[in-house]
Amino acid sequence: MKKILAFLIAGLLCSTCLAQIKTTTTEKKALLGVTSPVIQGNRILVGADSNVAVSPVVILSVETSYKFKRLKAYRNNVRIEPEVLSETEYLFSGAGKYRCEITVFDPEKGIDDSEASFEIGGSPQPPKPEPDPPQPPQPPSPTGPFDGIAIRVAVIATGMQQTEKEKYSTALQTVIQKMQSKEFRTLDQVTRYLQSQPLTNLSLNALLESDSKARSLGFNDAIAWYGEVLKGVR
């Protein structure tokens, strides 16, 4: 009879211990990317610079009469540290399967443990993409004779002073006339003449030098090439 009574008392104590840990999970949704939130009735007002996204979360509540408590949490079997909201509540976020091991201790009541499992599905809704910043106007695509040399020259000429444009225009017009009249019979004569002129725009000179070196221009082709350059300068 004493053995039976002892067994019943032990069972009652065990049942009481198990009841000392109560876990509750509550599903919520969290707003991400908000600034200056203010609750107004059933609405949440946020800053104009907010980039709002919604993410599912779970709040785990652990209630116990024991003095000490320890919680170990795992997501997909990897140890994590949840956000502590209060002495009894923990916040979990991020898709995955969760398992929480709760251990409690009290000098008078001993040690007890429990376990809670739950799952958070999906993923946060992506924030709305920010509009692309306005792009500066782009120069037109190089089209036309000699890979659009006239347009490429014109892009540089837009930043030149009028007097500088006139110097290039006069020099190029003179070159074309002398080539057409056969006063200049070689491209070397053309080069020496241009080098003697006050043509000092580094960007334009670099473009003309690199483009001319990339081509094998005959004498008549060179006349047409200088004509396109003259169009661009004007």
Side-chain angles (χ1 to χ4, degrees), residues 19-74:
Q20 296 303 318
I21 303 176
K22 180 182 178 182
T23 59
T24 305
T25 55
T26 305
E27 295 182 0
K28 298 277 188 178
K29 287 186 178 180
L31 296 180
L32 307 178
V34 301
T35 61
S36 305
V38 176
I39 298 177
Q40 185 75 28
N42 62 351
R43 292 172 295 188
I44 300 177
L45 307 181
V46 299
D49 58 341
S50 297
N51 195 13
V52 181
V54 179
S55 175
V57 298
V58 166
I59 296 177
L60 173 66
S61 174
V62 180
E63 298 179 8
T64 179
S65 60
Y66 282 51
K67 288 186 177 181
F68 304 102
K69 175 181 61 183
R70 183 183 66 182
L71 183 143
K72 289 185 178 181
Y74 302 84

Side-chain angles (χ1 to χ4, degrees), residues 153 156-165 168 201 204 233:
V153 169
I156 298 175
T158 55
M160 295 167 58
Q161 298 292 332
Q162 184 60 33
T163 53
E164 191 176 25
K165 289 184 186 179
Y168 276 87
N201 188 286
L204 183 53
V233 171

